[in-house]
């Protein structure tokens, strides 16, 4: 089991999030965003491999999932707008990880986490070095990626 530290954060809209931080020794970091109906624990094996490769890794529970506010399965009752608000979770976690002195920042997301990763990267192209996208969609709960993917190429 990789070594991790439980981190608690509060988003701009006052949602309490929890995540596991896997410290690394290089200036590379990766934020891990899970799919539905998963939580941060789905990333444990991958986070361990990243940590062995000296990456800092941070896996969070999105709002309504796992240990974060509204979890573990509050997301089942979310409207599309509430799911779209999860971008605030990604922004909060990215900000926290970048404050660790990360020079090369990456995002990995699965399903809705992939769409949120694209959304964050298109809004912050200067800070994101690469994306790992597992099963992104063109429109996942109103998080539409087609235009955002086009914006990434500019």
């Amino acid at each position: 089991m990789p070594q991790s530290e439980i981190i608690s954060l509060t988003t701009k809209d006052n949602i309490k999030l929890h995540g596991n931080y896997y410290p690394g020794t290089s200036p590379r970091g990766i934020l891990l965003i899970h799919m539905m109906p998963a939580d941060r624990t789905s990333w444990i094996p991958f986070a361990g491999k990243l940590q062995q490769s000296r990456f800092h890794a941070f896996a969070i529970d999105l709002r309504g999932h796992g240990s974060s506010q509204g979890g573990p399965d509050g997301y089942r009752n979310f409207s599309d707008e509430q799911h779209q608000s999860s971008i605030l979770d990604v922004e909060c976690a990215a900000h926290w990880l970048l404050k660790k002195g990360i020079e090369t920042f990456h995002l990995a997301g699965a399903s809705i986490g992939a769409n949120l990763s694209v959304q964050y990267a298109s809004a912050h192209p200067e800070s994101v070095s690469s994306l790992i996208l597992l099963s992104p969609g063109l429109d996942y709960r109103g998080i539409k990626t087609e235009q955002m993917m086009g914006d990434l190429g500019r």
Side-chain angles (χ1 to χ4, degrees):
M1 185 77 117
Q3 296 290 22
S4 70
E5 174 185 345
I6 296 175
I7 303 297
S8 297
L9 303 171
T10 303
T11 64
K12 288 181 194 175
D13 63 343
N14 258 355
I15 299 295
K16 301 279 187 215
L17 304 177
H18 291 88
N20 282 50
Y21 170 59
Y22 302 84
T25 56
S26 79
R28 301 173 299 171
I30 187 164
L31 180 57
L32 306 168
I33 311 297
H34 63 78
M35 68 174 112
M36 288 196 315
D39 61 28
R40 70 185 191 251
T41 63
S42 64
W43 291 107
I44 291 172
F46 186 56
K49 297 288 185 191
L50 289 167
Q51 194 175 46
Q52 287 174 0
S53 296
R54 302 181 42 228
F55 275 82
H56 296 264
F58 190 28
I60 63 166
D61 286 336
L62 294 170
R63 60 187 63 207
H65 295 79
S67 300
S68 288
Q69 189 171 338
D73 60 3
Y75 67 90
R76 294 180 193 268
N77 301 314
F78 277 11
S79 66
D80 284 357
E81 291 77 21
Q82 287 172 299
H83 282 290
Q84 293 162 25
S85 294
S86 295
I87 190 61
L88 299 176
D89 307 351
V90 176
E91 289 173 356
C92 181
H95 180 72
W96 184 88
L97 186 57
L98 286 165
K99 284 183 10 184
K100 290 291 201 187
I102 302 303
E103 294 173 13
T104 309
F105 178 64
H106 310 273
L107 283 161
S111 189
I112 194 169
N115 282 35
L116 291 166
S117 295
V118 169
Q119 184 178 4
Y120 180 87
S122 70
H124 305 278
E126 72 289 343
S127 65
V128 179
S129 297
S130 70
L131 296 169
I132 300 169
L133 305 174
L134 307 172
S135 299
L138 292 177
D139 183 349
Y140 199 112
R141 300 288 194 146
I143 305 165
K144 299 177 182 178
T145 58
E146 190 169 9
Q147 178 65 48
M148 292 184 276
M149 290 294 280
D151 292 344
L152 289 174
R154 294 182 190 170

